[in-house]
Amino acid sequence: MSDQIKHECGVVLIRLLKPLTYYQEKYGTSLYGLNKLYLLMEKQHNRGQDGAGIATIKLDVKPGNRYISRYRSTGANAVAEIFEYVQNKFADVQKTNPELLKDAVWLKEHISFTGEVLMGHLRYGTHGKNSIESCHPFLRQNNWMTRNLVISGNFNMTNVDELLEQLFELGQHPKERADTVTVLEKIGHFLDTENQELFDEFNKKGFSNAQISHEIADNLDVTKILRRSAKSWDGGYTISGIFGHGDAFVMRDPAGIRPAFYYIDDEIVVVTSERPAIQTAFNVPLESIKEIKPGHALIIKKNGKISEEQFREPDVQKSCSFERIYFSRGSDASIYRERKQLGRLLCKQLLNSVDNDLKNTVFSYVPNTAEVAFYGMVEGINKYVKTLQKEILLKRKDKISDEELESVLNIAPRFEKIAIKDVKLRTFITQDADRQDMVAHVYDTTYGVVKRGSDTLIVLDDSIVRGTTLKQSILKILDRLGPKRIIVVSSAPQIRYPDCYGIDMSRLGEFVAFEAAIALLKENGMDQVIKSTYQKCVATQYLEKEETDNYIKAIYEPFSDQQISDKIASIITPKEVEAKVDVIYQTLDNLHIACPHHLGDWYFSGNYPTKGGNKVVNRAFMNWVEGKNQRAY
């Protein structure tokens, strides 16, 4: 993606099913869980580079001893900083008494982070604060072990105000108006309720307080807690949690918007946001890894019992397609196939756009995330060439000459790597006065492969969101090569609506497709559409989310996709660029063909998977009209 968009988070949960001594004997280290946690976090580094955090819980610790450990860090090297901090604790032992590193029992008793339940989190700060206080995991502490709660997640809730009001009604006083706080306190409240109900039950039976603590730990109904907590949540979420005594869970929203994969064997349970992370870390086949079902939670009880339980009625599954197009690791087998298919499905549009003139067309891509889609495009173009050659040869009735045969066989598309990103330059872009000039040099080009004045240059990107980098940098650089025409191709459809489930796309005014539609309305004397849409949003802003529709669709309805694409091309083309610039977007139909199991397309179609999404998009439009540069949820 030439325009950098941030993703919310990545999660890891590990439960060791054997005592630490088992891993010391089998793998030669009591730090098996920590090593795997580090590896799984590094393998998901694509999902969060603004901060990270880990937490561990030790099982069956005697009263008076610390059993919860947590450490968080912000910054690009957060994961390395965290594990360096943890490693230093064991380095001290290595210096003074190295034999103790082989003593799993001693390590658990004396060194923090030697727990059987481990949690990791990678964070992208999509809005505002990027402080330690904003980093997961979050703790809700209590002297009763079973009332302690640690959570982290990949989520955004659309109805934070409603959830906060519910907490107020319960008598709570949350310290922030943030969805993380509401989720923590909501689960915490019903964890307290469950504890109290069990305490009362066992107290009536004459159990001592010490006995009751053990009975609560054994009988805590995790599913009931999650069902009560999530009853009114509206959003996309994968949330992992650990209770102080050792019960753990990972829950997934009813529409399956955010991803969650897990693997279980007799030694370990592991949950991640990315499937390839598990495959690599544990060297297991794809078939061994499962996906948590929408509206379900994977629950690991302290006694080792594992189950997948429904806590909310599943909705129609609308897993995020943007995960597939851009954010998730392309090494996932199905994502790799889907991205190639996205590129392949563009071939018909591309060939039509150049009248099948392969001789004077160069195909390339904008590094680096569009590379896999480019491979699919290469396969599609090559298939067209083979079909063309076959048709020419089979239709010849008379004998073909050697020259004609050679000409037919020499038909070949021209695939080149044109744009090369010079990553080192980014670190020098610091001052506003220098920024635009520096941005223009972030990409370099391959010279000598484009014929000046006669070639069309097709450049594939995985998505075009704002078009800023294209306008400020890429198109200017490509124009230096002298093509007569530049066609920018997006493997994703036009991004028209904000996301509110975890991707940093919340302001309508930042979308070049929205900018194009507004410009077309004004050029065609249709300002009334803008005004009436705003009035409708204002009139319905206080209605329940179930009574609200996405009124912003009216902004796009008067125009065809092609009209908006043409307007986008004019918006992103710098005045000094001499080549004719066109823009081609993937169609929604082709997106669904390429990603048949991930039909969440609200940022393209405006069809939000939860009712809260409609409230968010309408509020985002109101913010734009009113000149408020703020998030809509």
Side-chain angles (χ1 to χ4, degrees), residues 5-7 46 274 322-323 326-329 339 503:
I5 296 293
K6 293 182 177 181
H7 190 279
N46 55 298
E274 300 270 2
F322 227 141
E323 297 267 1
Y326 177 65
F327 293 113
S328 295
R329 292 177 71 91
R339 290 183 182 176
I503 297 172

Side-chain angles (χ1 to χ4, degrees), residues 104-116:
V105 175
W106 185 90
L107 288 173
K108 182 175 176 180
E109 288 180 357
H110 294 89
I111 306 296
S112 56
F113 296 100
T114 51
E116 294 91 342

Side-chain angles (χ1 to χ4, degrees), residues 106 299 391 408 521:
W106 185 90
I299 296 172
E391 289 177 353
V408 172
L521 287 171

Side-chain angles (χ1 to χ4, degrees), residues 446-631:
T446 303
Y447 294 93
V449 296
V450 174
K451 293 179 291 185
R452 285 189 169 273
S454 60
D455 274 349
T456 293
L457 177 56
I458 293 178
V459 181
L460 177 68
D461 198 350
D462 46 28
S463 57
I464 304 169
V465 186
R466 305 181 182 106
T468 307
T469 307
L470 284 167
K471 184 171 186 175
Q472 293 182 355
S473 173
I474 295 173
L475 287 174
K476 294 177 183 178
I477 292 171
L478 297 179
D479 191 57
R480 295 176 198 162
L481 303 176
K484 69 174 182 180
R485 187 181 176 202
I486 300 171
I487 303 176
V488 182
V489 187
S490 170
S491 68
Q494 295 171 1
I495 296 171
R496 299 181 169 191
Y497 305 94
D499 184 73
C500 50
Y501 305 118
I503 297 172
D504 184 16
M505 299 191 302
S506 61
R507 299 174 178 89
L508 271 171
E510 294 181 345
F511 305 144
V512 69
F514 178 77
E515 184 183 353
I518 292 295
L520 287 170
L521 287 171
K522 292 181 177 180
E523 289 172 7
N524 288 276
M526 303 172 68
D527 298 65
Q528 180 58 34
V529 174
I530 301 172
K531 184 178 180 180
S532 63
T533 301
Y534 175 71
Q535 291 172 340
K536 192 170 291 186
C537 291
V538 171
T540 59
Q541 64 179 312
Y542 298 114
L543 294 178
E544 296 296 323
K545 57 182 180 291
E546 290 77 13
E547 303 175 66
T548 307
D549 291 324
N550 178 358
Y551 304 121
I552 317 310
K553 289 184 178 182
I555 299 296
Y556 299 96
E557 283 173 358
F559 311 109
S560 68
D561 291 353
Q562 188 59 53
Q563 286 176 297
I564 293 175
S565 292
D566 291 344
K567 190 62 183 176
I568 290 171
S570 69
I571 290 172
I572 67 172
T573 303
K575 292 179 180 179
E576 61 267 37
V577 167
E578 296 182 5
K580 183 182 185 302
V581 176
D582 292 305
V583 175
I584 293 176
Y585 281 90
Q586 185 71 265
T587 66
L588 266 176
D589 288 342
N590 281 344
L591 172 69
H592 294 156
I593 291 171
C595 306
H597 304 299
H598 293 75
L599 300 177
D601 63 2
W602 52 92
Y603 15 70
F604 310 126
S605 68
N607 299 325
Y608 286 88
T610 74
K611 294 296 184 180
N614 293 332
K615 295 279 284 187
V616 168
V617 68
N618 294 337
R619 196 177 303 126
F621 184 74
M622 291 167 59
N623 287 343
W624 175 80
V625 172
E626 296 166 7
K628 297 177 181 177
N629 185 30
Q630 62 189 45
R631 66 189 294 185

Side-chain angles (χ1 to χ4, degrees), residues 217-451:
D218 290 341
N219 292 279
L220 208 64
D221 190 335
V222 181
T223 306
K224 184 168 75 171
I225 294 169
L226 299 182
R227 186 180 297 121
R228 287 173 158 183
S229 303
K231 185 178 180 180
S232 55
W233 290 354
D234 187 292
Y237 51 87
T238 292
I239 298 172
S240 63
I242 313 171
F243 300 140
H245 65 288
D247 284 359
F249 64 87
V250 180
M251 58 196 303
R252 191 178 184 202
D253 65 84
I257 295 170
R258 301 266 71 90
F261 299 92
Y262 69 94
Y263 168 73
I264 302 172
D265 61 23
D266 62 342
E267 297 179 352
I268 199 166
V269 181
V270 57
V271 186
T272 60
S273 297
E274 300 270 2
R275 182 166 56 181
I278 299 176
Q279 289 181 261
T280 300
F282 295 93
N283 191 28
V284 294
L286 181 149
E287 297 76 23
S288 299
I289 301 170
K290 298 179 181 179
E291 197 168 358
I292 296 177
K293 294 189 289 289
H296 286 66
L298 185 72
I299 296 172
I300 310 105
K301 292 290 290 179
K302 187 243 178 187
N303 62 12
K305 181 185 176 184
I306 304 161
S307 61
E308 189 174 356
E309 306 290 342
Q310 180 178 313
F311 66 90
R312 281 272 299 266
E313 187 68 31
D315 294 331
V316 176
Q317 187 161 349
K318 290 293 181 70
S319 300
C320 176
S321 59
F322 227 141
E323 297 267 1
R324 322 297 286 183
I325 296 168
Y326 177 65
F327 293 113
S328 295
R329 292 177 71 91
S331 56
D332 184 283
S334 59
I335 291 175
Y336 186 80
R337 287 194 300 268
E338 289 166 11
R339 290 183 182 176
K340 287 183 72 174
Q341 179 74 329
L342 285 167
R344 194 178 295 117
L345 291 170
L346 285 163
C347 289
K348 185 176 180 180
Q349 288 174 266
L350 298 182
L351 290 167
N352 288 339
S353 70
V354 296
D355 295 326
N356 299 320
D357 181 10
L358 296 178
K359 183 179 179 181
N360 298 299
T361 302
V362 176
F363 298 88
S364 191
Y365 63 96
V366 180
N368 282 323
T369 53
E371 187 174 8
V372 176
F374 179 72
Y375 292 151
M377 186 180 75
V378 168
E379 290 180 2
I381 299 296
N382 280 331
K383 182 178 180 181
Y384 162 78
V385 169
K386 289 180 180 179
T387 303
L388 177 64
Q389 291 171 327
K390 182 178 178 181
E391 289 177 353
I392 293 174
L393 293 174
L394 289 178
K395 288 179 180 178
R396 291 289 301 213
K397 294 182 180 179
D398 52 340
K399 184 179 179 181
I400 191 169
S401 68
D402 291 343
E403 292 79 8
E404 289 173 317
L405 178 61
E406 185 175 354
S407 176
V408 172
L409 295 178
N410 281 339
I411 297 174
R414 298 160 60 197
F415 304 114
E416 305 288 354
K417 186 164 185 176
I418 294 293
I420 303 161
K421 194 170 188 178
D422 194 338
V423 179
K424 295 186 292 296
L425 283 176
R426 294 184 66 88
T427 60
F428 295 98
I429 304 171
T430 54
Q431 299 179 6
D432 291 342
D434 302 329
R435 180 173 176 82
Q436 189 151 336
D437 180 62
M438 292 297 289
V439 167
H441 294 87
V442 167
Y443 286 89
D444 203 350
T445 53
T446 303
Y447 294 93
V449 296
V450 174
K451 293 179 291 185

